[in-house]
Amino acid sequence: MNAELAVNLFAALSIGFLGSSHCLVMCGGIASALQLSMPGLSLMQQLKLQLALSLGRLTTYSLLGALTGAFGAAVLVKLGISLFWLKLLAGVLLLLMAFYVARLWFALTVLEKFGSALWRKVQPVAKTLLPLDSSHKALAYGLCWGFLPCGLVYSSLGWSLASGNALQGALLMLAFGVGTLPAMLAVGSFARQLSQFKNNKLIRASAAFLLAIYALYTIAIALAPRLF
């Protein structure tokens, strides 16, 4: 693994964790409903199903990352669209994510509208899997859940697109998904404590600042060959 990829994976993991307060808003209701759809199960059995759900969601993220990475490499480049523009797009999307985390501008959520049509087709399939009384059904539901419209996911996919590589695109989305796990698996008082930590003004401002620095770094990397 080269140094640039290692840095990108760490950044994707951090973005997933820092941005997952949005996941608690978007997916928290679903997670709570799914918790109630696990009838008469012990805590360990529920945890097993929750892990299966997460495995399904992360699998979908990884597949989408691989597809966008491959698309960036095989289609856009062949059409004459330089990776420069893809990397520049990734940097801009990361900057929008920084604005979102800082709660200064929510333009990123506009991207969610683009996935609504697909989700309307997937959602009826997901509903047929309820109640979640087996690991197979939980895994399948998680695969569907990965298509839930989310601006953070779409901006991260833009990053995978800019990688121009299917494997790197998949790894970036997997790292992003792993970063969201603490928020999605958190229950009860721990969920409240995690939410309070992420909503702390100093923590949020620091996270947004670091994210903005990384976004500007990504943009600079894209622009450097053209400026020098």
Side-chain angles (χ1 to χ4, degrees):
M1 181 186 297
N2 59 47
E4 182 181 356
L5 178 58
V7 170
N8 286 343
L9 291 177
F10 178 75
L13 181 72
S14 302
I15 289 168
F17 177 74
L18 295 170
S20 56
S21 56
H22 179 67
C23 297
L24 288 173
V25 174
M26 286 290 294
C27 307
I30 293 179
S32 300
L34 293 178
Q35 189 77 21
L36 294 174
S37 76
M38 301 176 183
L41 300 179
S42 67
L43 183 61
M44 287 303 297
Q45 288 173 318
Q46 289 186 23
L47 179 59
K48 181 181 178 181
L49 293 182
Q50 290 284 4
L51 290 173
L53 272 168
S54 295
L55 177 61
R57 184 169 60 88
L58 266 61
T59 298
T60 295
Y61 287 172
S62 300
L63 289 174
L64 290 175
L67 287 173
T68 54
F71 183 76
V75 178
L76 296 183
V77 175
K78 287 184 180 179
L79 290 175
I81 301 176
S82 170
L83 279 176
F84 156 76
W85 294 107
L86 300 184
K87 290 184 181 296
L88 191 60
L89 172 64
V92 170
L93 289 173
L94 288 172
L95 195 57
L96 290 177
M97 197 184 295
F99 285 129
Y100 171 81
V101 171
R103 297 184 180 175
L104 295 175
W105 192 24
F106 296 90
L108 194 61
T109 56
V110 173
L111 292 176
E112 293 165 4
K113 296 180 181 179
F114 291 98
S116 297
L118 177 59
W119 176 242
R120 283 195 293 270
K121 296 181 181 299
V122 174
Q123 190 176 26
V125 177
K127 286 182 177 179
T128 64
L129 298 168
L130 299 176
L132 300 180
D133 49 14
S134 72
S135 296
H136 291 92
K137 290 171 73 173
L139 178 64
Y141 194 100
L143 291 170
C144 295
W145 191 358
F147 290 100
L148 183 73
C150 174
L152 291 179
V153 172
Y154 295 155
S155 61
S156 298
L157 283 173
W159 203 3
S160 295
L161 180 69
S163 73
N165 181 287
L167 178 59
Q168 288 190 25
L171 289 174
L172 285 169
M173 287 306 297
L174 177 60
F176 168 81
V178 170
T180 67
L181 283 180
M184 300 313 302
L185 294 177
V187 292
S189 60
F190 179 67
R192 288 192 294 273
Q193 292 169 1
L194 185 63
S195 180
Q196 288 171 358
F197 171 77
K198 290 181 179 180
N199 287 323
N200 179 279
K201 289 183 179 180
L202 180 60
I203 296 297
R204 195 169 63 239
S206 300
F209 176 75
L210 292 174
L211 189 52
I213 291 297
Y214 188 78
L216 293 174
Y217 166 78
T218 302
I219 293 172
I221 290 296
L223 292 175
R226 296 193 170 220
L227 296 177
F228 303 101

